[in-house]
Amino acid sequence: MFFWLLIINGLVYGQRVNWSFEMDSTAVFSSPRFKDLTGDGIMDVVIGAGNENYGVRHGIVAINGSTGELLWKYATRSQIYTSALFEDINKDGCPDVFIAGRNAQLYAIDGKSGDLIWQFWSGTYKEARAANFHNFYMTQFIMDQNEDGVSDLLVSNGGDAYILPNDTARPRGKVMIISGLTGKTISQDDLPHHRETYYAPHIHYNKGKKKPMVIFASGGETINGNLWEVSLKNLRKEKLQKAKVILKDSVKGFIVNSVLVDLNRDGFSDILNTRLNSVLSAVDGGTGKLLWEHHFPGYECYVAPTVGYFTGDASPDIFITIAKGTYPNYDSFDQLIIDGGTGEIISRSSNGTFQFASALAVDINVDGWDEIIYNENELNPETFATTNQFRLIDVYNGTSEFIGERRVGTCFSSTPGIVDLDGDGKLEIVFSYSNSLNSERQYSVIECIKTNYSAGEISFPGYLGKSENGLFEGK
């Protein structure tokens, strides 16, 4: 067990605010993604935002990575919470943006102009709901399925937001392949049992490149569910009934995305999953057997695991946050560091409030082992005002400290990104936060901090890792 040394001033590593951008959204659930959209050699920032069930001007925004100025914005009819994917489908030399969210919203946006290329559903949500299309979830492109020369999208759709929490009659979720070029459905199939879905499907290649396997999930916050695996070939044939169960939960569903990481170093990507019912499972990717598992009764988990090399050995390790209680009534938020090879809990501490964003893993002090960086929220119990500040945990050396300034507002569910935007060898941290919910005017901020951290190999630079699809690739 490590006993953390808290350095209150926390300004060990130099930082300064490079730019800050404010927009009309009550909260940001999407995580920042980075691509050069202007052709100047500097990475720009794309992020989704918006409010639940009513429109905003800044539903999707692209921000100049150098200046923080708005490149373009796209108004949406409801919240955009997925994180952007990029591919140049109109062949103008600029990557285009693919992003999704509530109320059947799935868009392809011209990366240069911000104009709409296509949208999955152009009608009202009432019409989409009648056709059983609800919220979209996505993590990655897949290889071209319809031979039009463009990668296609692996997505799921489900989760009717208008149904009350105690209502068990819920629409059946589906897994879909969407054309990246046109937005048309290539194939879709309902889940193997009658459950909703909130899980973004993704692919692994444990059975070889010729047999990619799709991981998807069922269940919700109050409905039980399973984690499933099916071949991409069977999804393409609309035969999800051939899927096999990886994990089951009899109380709540599988909402949080898994991370694929070789924990036992046998050459296969193991499946690391934190489910809402606060069970952390590591499943052997080669055999399907359980490597290890932790149960945390009385807790919930909405946070995808962060993977890095924390403890000083060759096996990747895990950082997660769990919440004591039931949403939205939580007593505490606990941070756990777990040895990935053995499953041993190395450290457990309780910090912050409403911690739903994942952490980063990066070797800041260049000692060969990763540090953990996450944005920690604090709540004033008298005024209910919130503030946020980055915490840096050095597991190997047993220290924990705040870095940078404290800001007014909450980093609710958007995972920061750490990236060398301008190629100068120093890293920037790009993140979002929203002002206190008891304020009269609601807004969110996207901010870029310039650091003195060297830009080397980073184990976990943002939401769902380096390739942004849940596959841990190491340093």
Side-chain angles (χ1 to χ4, degrees), residues 180-386:
L181 183 62
T182 67
K184 303 298 183 183
T185 301
I186 296 173
S187 63
Q188 70 175 44
D189 200 10
D190 292 339
L191 299 186
H193 59 168
H194 202 114
R195 296 290 186 276
E196 58 192 341
T197 187
Y198 297 91
Y199 185 100
H202 48 134
I203 282 181
H204 72 74
Y205 294 93
N206 279 347
K207 297 183 180 180
K209 287 287 185 180
K210 293 184 178 180
K211 195 175 182 181
M213 303 297 292
V214 177
I215 296 175
F216 64 98
S218 59
E221 294 169 307
T222 58
I223 304 294
N224 66 321
N226 299 334
L227 189 69
W228 304 78
E229 179 183 67
V230 72
S231 69
L232 179 61
K233 181 180 180 180
N234 278 327
L235 172 58
R236 186 72 174 83
K237 293 181 177 180
E238 300 183 343
K239 293 182 177 180
L240 278 190
Q241 71 271 17
K242 291 184 175 292
K244 295 182 179 180
V245 174
I246 302 172
L247 293 167
K248 293 183 177 182
D249 194 298
S250 62
V251 180
K252 299 177 183 180
F254 290 78
I255 293 176
V256 181
N257 268 91
S258 306
V259 173
L260 306 177
V261 50
D262 187 2
L263 296 172
N264 57 5
R265 301 172 64 202
D266 64 353
F268 294 99
S269 294
D270 305 309
I271 301 166
L272 181 66
N273 179 270
T274 51
R275 70 187 82 160
L276 181 60
N277 203 22
S278 214
V279 179
L280 174 63
S281 305
V283 177
D284 189 297
T287 66
K289 296 180 179 179
L290 201 64
L291 292 174
W292 50 260
E293 190 170 75
H294 289 291
H295 295 249
F296 303 100
Y299 284 77
E300 290 185 338
C301 182
Y302 280 92
V303 183
T306 296
V307 179
Y309 298 96
F310 305 135
T311 61
D313 61 30
S315 296
D317 306 303
I318 298 107
F319 175 84
I320 63 166
T321 297
I322 59 176
K324 185 178 182 180
T326 303
Y327 184 85
N329 301 310
Y330 293 125
D331 297 324
S332 65
F333 286 77
D334 293 4
Q335 291 76 40
L336 292 92
I337 298 162
I338 298 169
D339 187 302
T342 66
E344 177 189 359
I345 297 176
I346 301 299
S347 171
R348 182 170 182 173
S349 58
S350 181
N351 297 291
T353 186
F354 284 92
Q355 301 292 141
F356 298 121
S358 298
L360 312 176
V362 53
D363 184 8
I364 294 301
N365 57 8
V366 200
D367 65 352
W369 308 108
D370 292 320
E371 285 74 54
I372 298 162
I373 300 176
Y374 71 94
N375 202 350
E376 186 174 293
N377 301 310
E378 289 291 346
L379 176 69
N380 186 313
E382 296 180 358
T383 66
F384 298 104
T386 54

Side-chain angles (χ1 to χ4, degrees), residues 143-199:
M143 64 287 293
D144 182 10
Q145 298 293 299
N146 56 359
E147 299 182 347
D148 60 7
V150 173
S151 298
D152 298 310
L153 289 159
L154 176 65
V155 306
S156 62
N157 187 278
D160 189 340
Y162 291 96
I163 293 179
L164 297 175
N166 58 353
D167 189 346
T168 58
R170 294 170 178 267
R172 196 170 185 171
K174 56 178 69 72
V175 183
M176 308 174 67
I177 298 173
I178 303 292
S179 168
L181 183 62
T182 67
K184 303 298 183 183
T185 301
I186 296 173
S187 63
Q188 70 175 44
D189 200 10
D190 292 339
L191 299 186
H193 59 168
H194 202 114
R195 296 290 186 276
E196 58 192 341
T197 187
Y198 297 91
Y199 185 100

Side-chain angles (χ1 to χ4, degrees), residues 50-57 59 74-80 101-107 119-126 128 133-134 136 162:
N51 305 318
E52 185 174 344
N53 299 329
Y54 66 92
V56 294
R57 295 175 299 156
Y74 189 85
T76 59
R77 61 178 178 267
S78 188
Q79 187 179 54
I80 299 295
R102 294 183 182 274
N103 298 2
Q105 293 181 104
L106 173 59
Y107 299 103
Q119 60 179 318
F120 177 83
W121 192 270
S122 59
T124 66
Y125 179 52
K126 182 178 180 180
F133 288 110
H134 303 279
F136 272 107
Y162 291 96

Side-chain angles (χ1 to χ4, degrees), residues 62-74:
I63 302 168
N64 187 298
S66 177
T67 66
E69 295 176 333
L70 181 69
L71 293 175
W72 51 259
K73 65 180 184 291
Y74 189 85

